[in-house]
Amino acid sequence: KTAAGTFSIAARRIPADEKDAAANAFRTRETNFQKILARQLALIAKRNGSKDRATLEAVAAEFESVVTDFKNSNEETYTADSLNALALTFNSLGRYSDAITRWLEAAAIFKKLGIKTHEQQCLNDAGFGFQNLGNNTEALRYFFESLEIKRKFGTKLTTSKTLGNIGLSQLALGKSDDALKSFTESLALARSDTRTDSENARVVTF
C-alpha cells in the first residue's frame, strides 16, 4: 500500500505456456466454427438443389446437428440462422408445425440480439406456416407482430407484402372489410415505392 492510500499492483507476467495454450484454444474454437459453418452452407446448397423427400429429411436431420453445435459454441446469431434454415427445410417437407417451432425459436434469438429484420422475417414465416395449417387466426397474430416491426424498420415494399398476407388471412376468416383495408393499404404502399426495379430486386422479400 502506498502513502497515498492506493494499492500498487505489479503486473503479472503471463508464462509462455499459458499464452500458447490460450492461442491454441482460440485456433481450435475458430477451426471448429468454420467447420460447422461449412456444414451449414453445404446443407443449404443441398436443400436448394433437391426436391427428393428422403434427401430433404436427411438434410433436416443434419441441420438439427448443426443447430446443436452452434448452440454449444455459444454462437447465437448462427444458431438462429440455422434454425431458420431448418424451418425452411421442414416447410419444404410439409412439416409446418416443426417449421413454426423453429421459426419462433429463431425469432426469439434475433429479438434478443436486436436484429429486427431477421426477427420480423421469422415471425412472418411463422404466419405462413399457420396459414398452411389452415389456422388463420394464429397466422394473423404473427403477421401483425411482423408488421409492427416492418412499419419501424422495413421498406414500403416489404410492408406492403405483409399487409397482403394479412388481407389473405382476414379474407379466409370472413373478415371482408378488414381484408379490403389491408389490401388497399398494401396497394398504396406498393405504388408509392419509388425505387427502381433493380433496387427492389435487392430487397429481401418477406
Side-chain angles (χ1 to χ4, degrees):
K1 190 172 182 180
T2 67
T6 59
F7 286 92
S8 177
I9 302 175
R12 184 176 78 87
R13 293 179 63 84
I14 301 176
D17 58 344
E18 285 188 29
K19 289 182 180 180
D20 290 342
N24 288 335
F26 173 80
R27 283 193 292 268
T28 298
R29 183 176 183 275
E30 186 65 16
T31 298
N32 289 339
F33 166 77
Q34 293 296 337
K35 287 180 179 179
I36 301 168
L37 183 59
R39 284 169 56 207
Q40 180 199 46
L41 296 175
L43 287 169
I44 290 173
K46 189 174 183 179
R47 180 199 66 203
N48 293 343
S50 176
K51 294 183 179 179
D52 177 67
R53 185 173 186 86
T55 298
L56 291 174
E57 289 284 5
V59 167
E62 277 295 309
F63 266 132
E64 293 273 25
S65 176
V66 168
V67 168
T68 299
D69 288 343
F70 274 135
K71 283 182 178 179
N72 291 339
S73 299
N74 295 316
E75 296 284 354
E76 290 187 297
T77 302
Y78 286 97
T79 296
D81 281 340
S82 293
L83 283 164
N84 179 54
L86 174 59
L88 289 169
T89 307
F90 281 143
N91 189 66
S92 297
L93 287 163
R95 294 172 58 178
Y96 302 124
S97 294
D98 289 328
I100 290 166
T101 299
R102 272 57 174 199
W103 272 320
L104 294 181
E105 187 178 352
I109 296 173
F110 286 132
K111 181 177 182 178
K112 174 186 173 183
L113 297 174
I115 306 176
K116 293 297 183 181
T117 54
H118 289 31
E119 177 193 353
Q120 62 81 18
Q121 181 172 358
C122 288
L123 291 170
N124 187 78
D125 288 346
F128 274 127
F130 279 113
Q131 268 189 342
N132 287 328
L133 289 173
N135 188 341
N136 283 285
T137 299
E138 281 298 291
L140 282 176
R141 172 186 170 185
Y142 291 106
F143 285 147
F144 275 120
E145 285 189 29
S146 176
L147 180 65
E148 183 179 353
I149 299 172
K150 280 183 180 172
R151 288 196 188 280
K152 295 178 181 178
F153 303 100
T155 66
K156 290 180 180 180
L157 182 63
T158 58
T159 303
S160 168
K161 290 181 178 181
T162 295
L163 282 163
N165 297 336
I166 289 171
L168 289 173
S169 282
Q170 289 170 328
L171 198 60
L173 290 169
K175 299 180 178 181
S176 301
D177 291 342
D178 290 338
L180 180 59
K181 290 178 183 177
S182 297
F183 289 139
T184 300
E185 185 181 357
S186 173
L187 181 60
L189 283 172
R191 284 176 171 171
S192 67
D193 191 332
T194 58
R195 284 171 304 183
T196 66
D197 289 341
S198 61
E199 287 173 328
N200 281 332
R202 291 195 293 270
V203 175
V204 178
T205 57
F206 304 119

